[in-house]
Amino acid sequence: MSLLEARDLSVTFGGVHAVRGVDIAVERGELLGLIGPNGAGKTTLVRLLTGAVRADAGTIRFDGHDITRAPAYARARQGLAMTHQLVRPFRDMTLAENVSLAAAHAVTARPLAALLRTGRGAARRRAGELLERLEITEFAGRGAATLPLGVQKRLEMGRAIAIEPRLLLLDEPLAGLNQTEAARLADLIATLNREGLTVVLVEHNLAEVLRIATRLLVMVEGAVLASGAGSEVMRRGDVRAAYLGESRAGTGEGRGARG
Amino acid sequence: MEAYILSLVVFGALNVMLALGLNMISGFCGQISLGHAAFYGTGAYAAALLSISGLPFAASLALGALVAGALGLVVGFATLRVREDFLAITTMGVGFLFLGFVRKQEWLGGEFGVAQIPSPLSPLGFAVLAVGGALAMVALSLHLRRSWMGEVFRAVAADEDAASTLGVDTARYKLWAFVLGTACAGFAGGIYAHVTGLIVPDAFDFIQSVTILAMVVVGGIGSTWGVLAGAVLLTLMPELFRFVNDYKLLIYGALLLAVMRWSPSGLAGLAALVRRALRSSPA
Ligand SMILES: Nc1ncnc2c1ncn2[C@@H]1O[C@H](COP(=O)(O)OP(=O)(O)OP(=O)(O)O)[C@@H](O)[C@H]1O
Ligand SMILES: [Mg+2]
């Protein structure tokens, strides 16, 4: 049984059919690269899976449970975590506070316990470890809104990992990072995956995706165009055409500054 | 003179309770409310009627807070899906609904309100009770801010959707904020009813709601000590300057806008600025 299985997912915004009849299965332990030109519906698919957006049609099963109608927080508690393409830190909190809040998920899941408890120790320690792994410890005490984009991207990741997910959906975590930083973060994603975390990686930085992904899924115009091993998928004519159709975005260059 | 001072102390303390309660909802949790007076009124009416029906004072106070908190839960539930501007308008509507309802109810005394509410304490006794209650709410407020619930409130205020992707049931937390904040108002209402012995609907009108909001904003939204100072300041202002009373809505409205425009963190923000200036200037 796949860890996550979505059937026939569709959603329309106004007149835009952002995701149309997508079938997707994420296998346990894989690092699935999800690529596609701008506007292909990658972000929308991620948001459908985590519950930020409700599907007009289709079903989603996570670890055998039907979560189609479950709210976002319930899916997060079951082990679905995501990062936002456009970073969304809690702006008036420090970096450490942002990640600590996520690390305290066992307490914050019960409001009464959250009301009674003040101790930050355990969550702080856990957050500290994550900041260390993400190599952003030096920014721990800084206000989240004042951080460089590259650090905010890693804050997103730290927060998502802190809830101890079984499936991590990353929406362009490498955008806004320079080449060295991107390579290091990609290494970390690969390491987390090897340690047992299943990952879906939405990314325009094809070089890094091809380097670390165990499988590739290509979306175009709201639908899945191709799926399979990276090198095979990239050889396909229709995939190349889809990419060439949109001004050489395929190299991932010139997109560095995008949030 | 002594009676005047004591009643000023009572009303100052009541305002502190009201402002701290609203601050839990709007300051800590980011849910703007323009109808806080409705919960003040609910607590006042409930406690008054219970006392008249023979219940002991302490029980009436507690139940008044409970009834107000219950109404807060209902209003919170009904407004879960509305945010920001719409929430402000909806809560304002709740205030008007409350007034409209109370004014038309025979059993609540209609326009004339409820009179002959028993007065179980001396003026000094009420002052001690009110100040004690206000201090308890300061303590609750300080604890809340330090607790994990306070931390979640901050996250909900900043970005509700991001908080829910971390497993936070944001709706439940917003309801907690509403219940805690409105119960504080209900408790204050109970004391108010017994202090004055007479309550009328107009005491819980829109001007009252704006006044409470002005205390929170002038003091510094989200800051317990700032809100405390704001409540005391705006209690004294109409006493020191008579004309303030006649133009309350105008003056408090203008004050609200001015603070939001030029000093969004209110007195607390100014205090922080001064502290920083003192620290950085060579002594
Ligand atoms: N909330 C929304 N309201 C209206 N239209 C939307 C919304 N979200 C996405 N869309 C539209 O849906 C389509 C898919 O967008 P989506 O952001 O999912 O693409 P994407 O593959 O993530 O693109 P990118 O690579 O640029 O991030 C686009 O046409 C977009 O304009
Ligand atoms: Mg996207």
Side-chain angles (χ1 to χ4, degrees), chain B residues 64-92:
Chain B
L66 211 68
V67 172
L71 183 67
L73 184 67
V74 172
V75 170
F77 207 80
T79 55
L80 272 182
R81 295 199 179 284
V82 286
R83 292 184 189 178
E84 287 152 34
D85 308 5
F86 289 109
L87 183 59
I89 292 169
T90 312
T91 49
M92 195 161 110

Side-chain angles (χ1 to χ4, degrees), chain A residues 38-44 85 171-172 202 204 255 258:
Chain A
N38 294 138
K42 306 179 296 293
T43 295
T44 306
Q85 177 175 0
D171 198 353
E172 298 202 30
V202 176
H204 278 283
R255 294 188 39 100
R258 258 185 100 254

Side-chain angles (χ1 to χ4, degrees), chain A residues 3 44 60 77 92-93 122 132 199 226:
Chain A
L3 180 57
T44 306
I60 309 167
R77 286 185 197 170
D92 60 347
M93 292 189 190
E132 199 75 44
V199 178

Side-chain angles (χ1 to χ4, degrees), chain B:
Chain B
M1 188 61 196
E2 193 192 299
Y4 171 71
I5 299 278
L6 284 179
S7 88
L8 202 57
V9 167
V10 169
F11 282 102
L14 290 179
N15 284 334
V16 167
M17 292 187 221
L18 291 170
L20 286 176
L22 180 59
N23 187 50
M24 291 172 195
I25 301 170
S26 303
F28 291 170
C29 200
Q31 309 302 305
I32 208 73
S33 169
L34 280 175
H36 205 56
F39 306 101
Y40 185 35
T42 302
Y45 273 93
L49 294 180
L50 290 168
S51 262
I52 289 173
S53 78
L55 225 64
F57 177 51
S60 302
L61 276 189
L63 285 172
L66 211 68
V67 172
L71 183 67
L73 184 67
V74 172
V75 170
F77 207 80
T79 55
L80 272 182
R81 295 199 179 284
V82 286
R83 292 184 189 178
E84 287 152 34
D85 308 5
F86 289 109
L87 183 59
I89 292 169
T90 312
T91 49
M92 195 161 110
V94 167
F96 289 129
L97 265 177
F98 171 80
L99 273 191
F101 176 80
V102 168
R103 283 199 175 118
K104 290 277 171 278
Q105 296 303 306
E106 205 75 50
W107 60 285
L108 295 176
E111 292 284 355
F112 305 107
V114 178
Q116 288 169 326
I117 304 162
S119 177
L121 298 176
S122 68
L124 181 64
F126 274 121
V128 170
L129 173 67
V131 170
L135 286 178
M137 277 173 212
V138 168
L140 172 66
S141 189
L142 291 172
H143 167 80
L144 189 55
R145 196 72 172 83
R146 285 178 53 242
S147 72
W148 278 108
M149 180 173 274
E151 200 71 357
V152 173
F153 282 174
R154 272 168 93 192
V156 170
D159 190 335
E160 223 180 297
D161 294 328
S164 63
T165 65
L166 301 179
V168 171
D169 184 350
T170 55
R172 288 250 309 266
Y173 277 94
K174 286 198 284 184
L175 290 179
W176 270 90
F178 267 102
V179 169
L180 288 173
T182 55
C184 287
F187 185 76
I191 297 180
Y192 171 80
H194 290 84
V195 166
T196 56
L198 163 79
I199 49 175
V200 292
D202 285 350
F204 314 107
D205 61 2
F206 181 60
I207 298 182
Q208 179 65 33
S209 287
V210 170
T211 304
I212 303 168
L213 184 64
M215 290 169 183
V216 171
V217 172
V218 167
I221 193 151
S223 155
T224 300
W225 296 116
V227 169
L228 175 75
V232 172
L233 187 75
L234 292 208
T235 306
L236 294 178
M237 225 165 65
E239 301 301 321
L240 299 176
F241 312 102
R242 278 289 151 199
F243 67 92
V244 171
N245 233 338
D246 303 331
Y247 300 98
K248 240 182 178 171
L249 190 56
L250 194 69
I251 291 173
Y252 287 177
L255 204 57
L256 258 173
L257 292 179
V259 171
M260 285 185 191
R261 171 70 184 77
W262 286 292
S263 175
S265 32
L267 292 175
L270 287 180
L273 275 182
V274 170
R275 242 182 289 129
R276 228 170 297 147
L278 286 180
R279 221 182 299 140
S280 60
S281 71

